[in-house]
Amino acid sequence: MSALVYLPLGGADEIGMNMYLYGYGPRDNRRWIMVDCGIGFPDAAHAPGVEIMTPDPAFIAAESDRLDGIFITHAHEDHIGAVGRLWGRFKAPIYCTKFPAAIARRKLDEFGVSPKNLNVVDQNTPVKVGDFSVSFFPMTHSIPETSALVIDTPLGRIFHTADFKIDDSPAFGDPMDRDAMRKMAEEGVLAIACDSTNVFEPGFAGTEDTIKQPLRDVIAGSKGKVAATTFASNVARLKTLAEAARDSGRAVVVAGRAMQRMIEAAVQTGIMTDFPETITEDEARDIPDDHLFYLVTGSQGESRAAMARIAGDSHPSVHLKAGDTAIFSSKTIPGNETEVSRIYNLLAERGIRVVDDSMADIHVSGHAPRGELEEVYSLLKPKYAIPMHGERRHLHEHAVMAPSWGAEAAFVVPNGSMLQIAPGEPKIVDDVDTGRLYADGNQLIGAMDGVVRSRRKMGMNGHIAVSVILDDNGDLVVESDARVTGAPEESKDWTGEIEGVIAEAVDGAIEKLKAKDRRDDDKVEEAIRRAARSTASRLWGKKPETVVMLTRLD
Ligand SMILES: [Zn+2]
Ligand SMILES: [Zn+2]
């Protein structure tokens, strides 16, 4: 019996690293398509030293010969970011429209994947792969050319919204085509897989238009230099900001490669035709402060981005001083508050005025709040709702709301759960292993492999290395040696250096072992480790990670 199933591997337990699978066929011979292949950003406290994570795609990597296509809805990193990094595990054709393709090409190139694997398709033109027929349906969002996917299968139609908001006067492209959606409703929509990001927000997000005047007011009311930050990928916002600056008689400098690349991609693909003229950072030197405007990266407080460097006055070319203004035309993503407020404080300390969306209406969200979600449900009239693109609490809230918007039933399907959508009543039919991969140095490692866990432990409790040399009988050849990293060396609470006290305790523990045990490496190492850690704990009150190097001389 053929069934239609939905299986999220990422994105349905977090806002980030989206990766959704749809499968069709008999259980033992299902064919798959993947929707999106994104990255996430782990927080530094949880995964020190890791800046990028991806879903663990082991499930679909093991059946990659049954994966018929990878569909990318739009060019945000949480949807496209892993397409180069993970492609080697799937080796399936990629499908997307022109603008995301411009971004994907660079990501494939970075990992040596041939651009031949990338198929550029037009919106509203069905792509047939196996039993699936998939159309890219234009939606409005905070990056150009975002598409929902209309996925037709022998068992019914799924509308996968991707990320969207309803913007009736978008900076690029057309407003959402309500007539086409009404027509889809007449034909029947079996299920909607729907963005849950703003499910807790009432009302409507508002169009990009509404922030133009407030932004002009802020910029016109600023003295000295102005630097504004937003997401590099929010091309519409970059244009809104640049136009507001131009209208206030300021020359626009785009500082930061990520932003320059996005603007270039939008111009090269013909999406953006009228971005205000910009000048280089060099040319800016000859222009008076009152006539300068910088567009910079770093709206989320990223430590290596331009805004953080400007705040610390370590940017190579952009220098703000007391009386200048920094504009955050963005929303702080949950989890980034600490970093962002650190930047605010650095700026404040130097007398630089900070303006954000709490002080002026200079940001609109790219995700649909309740009013817009309800409108999409009422246009499409889906039978079933599958909330996605959210943390667990967003998915649950969305599932609670969906029936009031007309859905017959809603299903919370977290990462790794397989929902059989049809035939029959939808139900969870399987659970597969999922998780996260961390990009660590040049390796992709499993989040549960222990690498980052032991690094975190070292970060919290320090590290002891003990070197012990024994003869065949298990007698000490020389006194043992200990090295401690990340611990106080001396204190009035103990005599001598902590390393010496630990080494002595280790020697004492070895001497206390029975002669037979002293010839057993495992027993000796365990005794050493225990002595080192309990000594550190007794003196300092912490138990560092401990490494034992045991040498036997014969
Ligand atoms: Zn997203
Ligand atoms: Zn997005």
Side-chain angles (χ1 to χ4, degrees), residues 493-512:
D493 293 333
W494 62 81
T495 318
E497 294 193 348
I498 197 168
E499 292 177 338
V501 185
I502 290 170
E504 250 173 64
V506 165
D507 286 351
I510 294 168
E511 279 158 8
K512 254 190 247 159

Side-chain angles (χ1 to χ4, degrees), residues 144-388:
E145 250 182 35
T146 298
S147 303
L149 297 180
V150 182
I151 304 172
D152 284 316
T153 78
L155 288 173
R157 173 176 283 172
I158 295 161
F159 191 91
H160 182 104
T161 66
D163 297 2
F164 77 99
K165 66 186 278 189
I166 300 178
D167 190 336
D168 286 327
S169 51
F172 311 110
D174 298 320
M176 189 175 77
D177 186 347
R178 291 176 170 85
D179 286 339
M181 293 167 84
R182 283 187 200 103
K183 189 156 165 281
M184 275 185 239
E186 279 167 25
E187 293 161 357
V189 175
L190 178 63
I192 185 170
C194 188
D195 184 356
S196 307
T197 313
N198 270 346
V199 71
F200 289 103
E201 303 294 324
F204 300 83
T207 89
E208 188 71 16
D209 259 355
T210 60
I211 63 170
K212 285 184 174 165
Q213 193 54 46
L215 264 176
R216 270 188 220 120
D217 294 344
V218 170
I219 295 170
S222 299
K223 296 193 167 48
K225 293 178 186 173
V226 176
T229 183
T230 187
F231 276 109
S233 61
N234 194 339
V235 181
R237 186 63 46 78
L238 298 179
K239 184 167 171 245
T240 306
L241 286 162
E243 284 172 350
R246 180 196 58 198
D247 296 348
S248 312
R250 288 177 183 264
V252 178
V253 186
V254 181
R257 259 172 307 163
M259 257 175 196
Q260 276 160 355
R261 278 202 299 253
M262 275 293 168
I263 294 169
E264 274 164 29
V267 170
Q268 277 161 13
T269 51
I271 283 165
M272 185 161 62
T273 49
D274 49 353
F275 195 82
E277 203 179 314
T278 61
I279 61 168
T280 66
E281 289 167 61
D282 270 347
E283 288 164 337
R285 277 184 239 281
D286 301 326
I287 296 185
D289 288 1
D290 284 353
H291 292 281
L292 267 180
F293 180 83
Y294 293 95
L295 273 175
V296 305
T297 53
S299 65
Q300 300 302 310
E302 305 94 317
S303 61
R304 294 197 307 222
M307 191 52 101
R309 293 185 181 192
I310 291 167
D313 205 20
S314 62
H315 192 279
S317 61
V318 185
H319 302 280
L320 297 192
K321 57 179 188 322
D324 292 344
T325 300
I327 298 175
F328 285 70
S329 180
S330 53
K331 186 182 161 206
T332 303
I333 292 175
N336 296 340
E337 294 88 348
T338 318
E339 287 308 302
V340 172
S341 69
R342 192 179 69 85
I343 307 288
Y344 280 18
N345 284 321
L346 279 171
L347 290 164
E349 196 180 314
R350 297 182 41 230
I352 298 157
R353 184 172 72 119
V354 175
V355 182
D356 69 10
D357 71 329
S358 69
M359 300 145 78
D361 294 324
I362 56 172
H363 176 68
V364 287
S365 174
H367 296 272
R370 284 184 184 186
E372 297 176 12
L373 291 171
E374 180 169 13
E375 182 174 353
V376 163
Y377 274 80
S378 70
L379 286 165
L380 288 170
K381 304 197 190 325
K383 188 169 182 196
Y384 302 124
I386 307 171
M388 58 159 188

Side-chain angles (χ1 to χ4, degrees), residues 46 56 434-438 444-454 456:
H46 194 252
D56 184 343
T434 50
R436 295 168 171 192
L437 298 181
Y438 289 151
L444 265 181
I445 55 172
M448 303 308 283
D449 288 359
V451 175
V452 172
R453 198 182 323 129
S454 71
R456 197 170 61 223

